[in-house]
Amino acid sequence: MIKGIAASPGIEIGKAYVLKEYPIFIDKNKISGEEIAVEIKKLNQAIAEAKEQLEKIREQAEKEMGTDKAEIFNAHLMMLEDEVFLNEIRDKIKAESIRAEYALTLVVEVYIEMFQNIEDEYLRERAADIKDIGDRLVKNILHIPMQSLANLSAEVIVIAKDLTPSDTAQMDKDFVRAFATEMGGRTSHTAIMARSLEIPAVVGTVDLLSKTHNGDCVIVDGNNGFVYLNPDEQTLQHYVQLREEYQAYLQELKQLKDLPAETKDKARKVELAANIGTPKDCAGALNNGAEGIGLYRTEFLYMDRSELPTEEEQFEAYKAVAEAMAPRSVIIRTLDIGGDKKLPYLEMPEELNPFLGWRAIRMCLDRQDILQTQLRAIMRASAYGKLRIMYPMISNATEIRKANALLQQVKDNLEQQGIPYDRELEVGIMVEIPAAAVIADLLAKEVDFFSIGTNDLIQYTIAVDRMNEHISHLYEPLHPAVLRLIKNVIDASHRAGKWTGMCGEMAGDVTATPILLGLGLDEFSMSAASIPRVKKIIRSLTYQKARDIAQKALKAENAEEIRELSQGEFC
Ligand code: PEP
Ligand code: MG
């Protein structure tokens, strides 16, 4: 058994399809004068083939993953149009009398080094794109086949060092049952892809590639992070059984899709919604029975590009989501950039504590042009479904008033121009700074709803950086201080006749479900795949039982005690 990181849940058993790198031999010998023209022709042909390959990959990526994810291939294509770059290779062949593949490698090396030394992080990362392009051209010149996952004819388990965006974009999703890779962590590209495709995956497995051959029998246990190669009969039977049980569990969850998220005694009904990053994610949300979108992270619209998205581009994205989810509601969070999320084209100050810095609503209130464009796009899209707006990182009432003043200007403007929008559109805030949670009674007067962002609320409350693995044991959603803040927010909103949702990871954490339900949370928003699990727990509890658990949890001394109270209910 090989131990890795459990990146995407589920169990699969199948035949290995190994994505191996072929060795590349670069001929460094000098060539004769007559051969120069031949080499330049080879290079030109390789470029033409690469363009064709990339056009196809881009088309497929656009179809399957959306325009924004396909953007990376545009960058690759642009490099193949860059005559300065290409002429440098041609000149090197001529000047040094060397083969096309050698000249290409030398030029690419110089470019990579140049990009790696650039201060700007975004440009520095482009070195990887140049390497990708260089590899593709060398393989085309030498007629080395590009192994691809595009034309599979049988179900397989993909074994690879790592999966690049072009691998997954081309992948024939009907035939890939699971992934196991040597590289990557829980947030690597492979892991994220596997979770969004809802197929099991294990990443970070040592020496997997050298031990696996095409056709080997492989078990991928994405629940525990185990990979078995050619397992013995006993292990195989054990996993056949486990896979069946897991499938039955998934089936059971599927049955819940159209049932309400209400308690066993029907005394309490809540709303289960999905968090999304792009319009494409709506399909997964609906498949899992989401009753709405509780958090649309709009940052992705602003990333992986070289300038701010236009009002029109944003309008199209928001309209697509509004229409896909109608009549369900969609909460659009205004731009939450800063902290760990940077935009290469936007001048951001170097900060000692970026998480406590110029981010989210703070930046947007300084750069009102950016917020205004976004609000206008949202308001225009609000005519096509049920949209709500939510401001991130609010710490006081003034920020809400300032943002709302801008929103009013946008509305007045649309009114004057006779452009339709939803006049009843609700506006809320994320409660993710402890100060906001403490003064929730004051803020409740300014909003229609709250959504608790526990990812940040926990890190600020306990003073634990959510990205720092050295202190990850202290990052504790069930810390009594966190529970008390959550209770304060819910109670304050209810006293003011408003409602409270939660869109941090805690909303999809089944250990917390009984407590949050008992505290009176109205809406739970999470990654779509978690919805059925949370619903199953809500439907198995009475409201009174959940309230008892919550009451006891509020008096508990530490997270362990709270976890025991909660887990006793459904394990
Ligand atoms: C949160 O902080 O809980 C949240 C949902 O926002 P993000 O994870 O995007 O910071
Ligand atoms: Mg946040």
Side-chain angles (χ1 to χ4, degrees), residues 3-226:
K3 176 94 186 79
I5 298 164
S8 178
I11 292 167
E12 267 307 339
I13 304 168
K15 286 210 162 74
Y17 182 84
V18 185
L19 266 188
K20 268 203 173 111
E21 286 291 305
Y22 288 92
I24 293 175
F25 174 73
I26 307 276
D27 181 356
K28 297 182 179 170
N29 290 315
K30 295 271 180 205
I31 55 173
S32 64
E34 298 92 73
E35 283 178 298
I36 288 178
V38 179
E39 291 302 310
I40 290 183
K41 200 168 157 203
K42 273 204 258 174
L43 174 69
N44 292 344
Q45 195 151 357
I47 296 166
E49 277 170 28
K51 279 185 191 166
E52 235 173 79
Q53 293 159 349
L54 283 165
E55 289 283 4
K56 271 200 203 131
I57 298 176
R58 184 186 58 184
E59 249 172 57
Q60 189 158 355
E62 225 167 58
K63 242 195 297 170
E64 309 232 342
M65 300 192 290
T67 327
D68 44 346
K69 294 230 169 78
E71 193 60 31
I72 178 169
F73 303 110
N74 280 338
H76 286 198
L77 276 163
M78 255 156 60
M79 262 181 253
L80 292 176
E81 301 285 347
D82 183 347
E83 284 301 318
V84 177
F85 166 61
L86 300 176
N87 279 336
E88 258 184 70
I89 308 169
R90 293 182 188 117
D91 291 346
K92 213 168 195 69
I93 297 175
K94 284 186 225 159
E96 297 186 22
S97 298
I98 53 177
R99 298 218 176 268
E101 64 270 24
Y102 187 31
L104 173 77
T105 325
L106 293 175
V107 172
V108 165
E109 267 169 18
V110 172
Y111 270 75
I112 291 178
E113 203 182 313
M114 191 172 78
F115 272 84
Q116 275 171 342
N117 287 329
I118 292 177
E119 279 254 331
D120 183 286
E121 191 185 333
Y122 178 79
L123 288 176
R124 212 167 46 230
E125 280 173 9
R126 300 285 67 75
D129 290 334
I130 294 175
K131 183 173 180 317
D132 252 26
I133 279 291
D135 286 351
R136 181 174 291 282
L137 289 175
V138 168
K139 282 183 184 160
N140 285 351
I141 293 171
L142 299 176
H143 303 295
I144 293 175
M146 296 262 178
Q147 244 189 320
S148 118
L149 298 171
N151 299 310
L152 300 169
S153 54
E155 294 194 337
V156 294
I157 289 182
V158 174
I159 308 287
K161 186 151 200 77
D162 198 9
L163 291 173
T164 63
S166 37
D167 292 329
T168 44
Q170 294 177 82
M171 191 171 79
D172 189 336
K173 297 186 177 63
D174 293 336
F175 290 116
V176 176
R177 309 295 306 161
F179 297 148
T181 62
E182 285 189 353
M183 315 262 290
R186 258 195 70 77
T187 53
S188 63
H189 172 75
T190 313
I192 292 168
M193 273 306 297
R195 286 199 292 274
S196 77
L197 294 168
E198 295 181 29
I199 61 173
V202 176
V203 300
T205 53
V206 180
D207 285 344
L208 178 67
L209 220 55
S210 60
K211 291 181 182 151
T212 322
H213 303 98
N214 271 332
D216 278 355
C217 174
V218 187
I219 299 172
V220 173
D221 175 352
N223 298 337
N224 296 299
F226 301 152

Side-chain angles (χ1 to χ4, degrees), residues 295 297 333 336 341 430 432 453-456 466 503-504:
L295 169 64
R297 288 185 165 99
R333 174 173 78 183
D336 182 6
K341 295 174 263 184
M430 289 198 65
E432 50 187 341
T454 48
N455 304 344
D456 278 318
R466 68 195 237 196
C503 59

Side-chain angles (χ1 to χ4, degrees), residues 394-450:
I394 292 288
S395 64
N396 60 50
T398 312
E399 287 164 339
I400 308 175
R401 290 196 197 119
K402 279 189 185 162
N404 276 342
L406 197 63
L407 180 62
Q408 191 54 50
Q409 275 179 30
V410 168
K411 287 187 197 173
D412 293 345
N413 215 273
L414 291 173
E415 202 75 58
Q416 277 162 17
Q417 295 172 329
I419 298 173
Y421 66 91
D422 177 6
R423 291 188 174 76
E424 308 295 315
L425 182 138
E426 289 182 13
V427 179
I429 60 164
M430 289 198 65
V431 179
E432 50 187 341
I433 296 180
V438 172
I439 59 163
D441 56 330
L442 303 177
L443 302 184
K445 296 178 192 149
E446 311 288 331
V447 301
D448 295 311
F449 66 91
F450 289 138

Side-chain angles (χ1 to χ4, degrees), residues 306-320:
S306 50
E307 68 210 345
L308 284 163
T310 62
E311 178 187 318
E312 213 50 37
E313 280 173 274
Q314 295 190 59
F315 165 69
E316 288 300 334
Y318 305 150
K319 177 171 168 260

